[in-house]
Amino acid sequence: MTSHRSEVSRMMMIKHLVNHKQWLGQPEDYSTCMLVTSLSHAYAHMFIFATLMLGGTSVIARHSDKLLEMINEHKVTLAVLYPYHLKMMINSVASHDNKPTSLKAVTTAAAPLAASVAEAFRQKMDVSVYNMWGMTEVTSISTMCLVTSDYKQCCIGKILPFFELKVEDVKTKHMLPPGQSGEFRIRSPMTLLGYVDNPAATAEIKDDDGWIHTGDYGHYDNQGFIYLTDRIKDLIKGLRNTKVLPSELENLLLQHPHVAEAVVVGVYGDDLEELPRAFVVLKPDTPMEPCVLLKFVNDRVPDYKQLSGGVWIVKDIPKNSSSKPLRGLLRDGNITPLKKC
């Protein structure tokens, strides 16, 4: 459940950023906004209202492999995307002839943005990339940064106006200083009132002081830049009660020239400890044995981070409507590997 106060606060925040020239460049950069996001998500909801408030045009697009054609047809200046779409568009641009000329900026959210993907998109498209973070229960994005050549992996920018953020130790609930990782807690007039007819779920995500348990894990630095490293529920409890971040192993796999996609989840071994297992989609016409990828990773990480659950090469990674991997399906083994090691 959300409120009128939440909607007004969100538009006031955007208006403040526009007035101070901190919102996606110049006004013409968002005169025609294309959304390729589920309309039930706060990410899309926010941009529809913001575009209309600023006198622009909203174009609602389906998830498809024809994004470039739609951008050119509607002379889109701002595209609201997921990181998956950036990779799709990089692969779609064959030459300068089909590079979109109207596009000034893109935003990404809902999934981690790899630095290599951001830089490749910037270079190939000559378009500004804004990486964002938010969640439905906050009904807005809460952080934002302009991706530049010195963009750091997993950086989601700085906290936006009308928001407070703190990082808490998961066990002690103590607030952590810069550089130490814990759970992000968010407070804002934009946060949810609660879940409909579910006070228990509301109490679980929102405390009496209005702080939201985001379930996201990361840290901030001395300059106020925030880094999202993983979902707490996705952390793998490895050997000797160590914690393994799936994103670290996924980013390592993506450095291999034959890997197109990679997702790492924890699977239980005989001793009930979680073992990291990688699910990998290969690039077209690049045959690769899974044991080669297993060695590629294991040679570069300490023993407790090694892919002791193996490597499965699959045709596709199952995803939800936001292009987030369905880790539960992978964790349960509900996928047939082409090869495994």
Side-chain angles (χ1 to χ4, degrees), residues 37-101:
T37 58
S38 300
L39 298 185
S40 59
H41 287 192
Y43 187 30
H45 194 213
M46 172 181 176
F47 272 95
I48 289 176
F49 275 89
T51 304
L52 296 176
M53 179 186 70
L54 297 169
T57 301
S58 290
V59 177
I60 312 300
R62 294 178 179 272
H63 293 271
S64 74
D65 56 359
K66 297 183 178 181
L67 297 183
L68 288 173
E69 289 89 335
M70 292 196 67
I71 289 171
N72 287 326
E73 178 185 351
H74 296 282
K75 295 182 172 54
V76 171
T77 52
L78 169 65
V80 179
L81 307 171
Y82 300 126
Y84 170 78
H85 296 127
L86 268 63
K87 292 189 286 186
M88 180 191 299
M89 289 171 65
I90 290 169
N91 296 331
S92 298
V93 174
S95 67
H96 290 291
D97 295 336
N98 67 336
K99 186 170 71 172
T101 57

Side-chain angles (χ1 to χ4, degrees), residues 36 60 65 74 134-135 138 154 288-289:
V36 197
I60 312 300
D65 56 359
H74 296 282
M135 59 189 297
V138 178
C154 297
M288 171 66 61
E289 292 300 319

Side-chain angles (χ1 to χ4, degrees), residues 24-39:
L24 308 184
Q26 301 301 314
E28 61 269 19
D29 293 349
Y30 41 80
S31 59
T32 302
C33 176
M34 183 180 79
L35 302 102
V36 197
T37 58
S38 300
L39 298 185

Side-chain angles (χ1 to χ4, degrees), residues 190-208:
M190 292 172 234
T191 56
L192 82 167
L193 297 175
Y195 295 113
V196 176
D197 298 329
N198 197 340
T202 301
E204 185 176 338
I205 196 170
K206 187 176 183 178
D207 66 22
D208 293 339

Side-chain angles (χ1 to χ4, degrees), residues 107-158:
T107 69
T108 72
L113 174 64
S116 58
V117 173
E119 184 59 23
F121 189 90
R122 286 177 62 252
Q123 290 188 0
K124 198 159 191 176
M125 301 291 190
D126 192 25
V127 167
S128 297
V129 178
Y130 291 84
N131 194 29
M132 300 177 170
W133 174 90
M135 59 189 297
T136 299
E137 287 81 357
V138 178
T139 72
S140 174
I141 59 167
S142 306
T143 72
M144 180 177 74
C145 70
L146 172 62
V147 175
T148 58
S149 58
D150 59 352
Y151 172 74
K152 296 179 181 178
Q153 183 72 37
C154 297
C155 181
I156 54 174
K158 292 186 176 183

